[in-house]
Amino acid sequence: MIYCQKIKNKQNLTVITNSFKVELELSDAEHVKLISTGGTLQRRSLSYVSHSATRALSHYFADASFVSCTGLHLQRGATDSNEFEAEIRKLMLKNSEQKILVLDHTKIDKAGFTFITDFQGITKVVTDQSLSVEWRQLLSRYNIEIDDENMDTTPEEPTTSS
């Protein structure tokens, strides 16, 4: 949700989301065009999933996508605990230029139930604590940018748009 705070004052920004939390956070940002996928609300994650959500999302292409995951594993890549949410995340990544994985440190070295993407499907990893040397080396091999320094800094340019 920290990225929502960073983009609230951006101009000419379109955010496409399946997250009810993102909708609430950005609902008062007048300069942000907010598009919701709709669908069936998953109460645990407060995200919308369903075939209609996937279908709605398939019509959009974005400069950048920001997706989370249940776990990021050295051998398995990004994984999720919910297959419907994993499908939404796969599609978001597929339909964007920058593929940004946002996760907190508790998800590193964890694996979920279902596959989202391998490391070739990620262009940047954003996390709240410094990554180990092993993780830095792996991500470097795939030319993945790492942002694990200061989550309170402002991004350089619009971070999510289509």
Side-chain angles (χ1 to χ4, degrees):
M1 297 307 292
I2 194 144
Y3 263 79
C4 287
Q5 292 299 318
K6 290 181 178 187
I7 65 174
K8 261 190 166 180
N9 296 319
K10 296 290 183 182
Q11 301 290 318
N12 301 318
L13 185 68
T14 299
V15 174
I16 306 162
T17 186
N18 72 320
S19 170
F20 182 68
K21 290 186 263 187
V22 169
E23 289 175 353
L24 284 176
E25 187 69 32
L26 296 177
S27 63
D28 63 345
E30 293 182 24
H31 302 291
V32 176
K33 180 179 179 181
L34 191 56
I35 300 172
S36 174
T37 63
T40 303
L41 183 66
Q42 296 282 322
R43 294 196 196 305
R44 182 185 57 77
S45 62
L46 290 178
S47 63
Y48 297 106
V49 298
S50 70
H51 295 296
S52 63
T54 305
R55 200 169 28 257
L57 191 59
S58 70
H59 297 287
Y60 297 105
F61 297 94
D63 295 331
S65 62
F66 293 80
V67 300
S68 62
C69 62
T70 297
L72 187 62
H73 191 270
L74 288 168
Q75 286 80 37
R76 297 181 184 166
T79 59
D80 207 303
S81 59
N82 182 297
E83 58 192 312
F84 296 115
E85 291 184 29
E87 288 305 313
I88 293 279
R89 291 179 172 133
K90 284 179 193 178
L91 187 55
M92 287 177 170
L93 292 169
K94 177 181 170 245
N95 287 358
S96 65
E97 292 296 319
Q98 294 180 32
K99 300 148 187 344
I100 303 165
L101 190 65
V102 181
L103 65 156
D104 68 68
H105 68 280
T106 64
K107 297 176 181 181
I108 303 291
D109 293 320
K110 303 283 192 271
F113 169 70
T114 188
F115 178 77
I116 297 172
T117 187
D118 58 23
F119 293 102
Q120 294 171 336
I122 303 167
T123 58
K124 183 174 185 175
V125 169
V126 178
T127 188
D128 62 339
Q129 289 186 7
S130 290
L131 295 172
S132 69
V133 171
E134 181 181 30
W135 272 103
R136 288 182 172 286
Q137 289 172 343
L138 176 95
L139 297 176
S140 176
R141 274 196 305 257
Y142 289 97
N143 295 313
I144 298 171
E145 185 181 345
I146 301 167
D147 182 352
D148 63 353
E149 296 301 317
N150 185 353
M151 292 293 288
D152 295 327
T153 60
T154 303
E156 301 166 8
E157 280 303 307
T159 54
T160 307
S161 64
S162 68

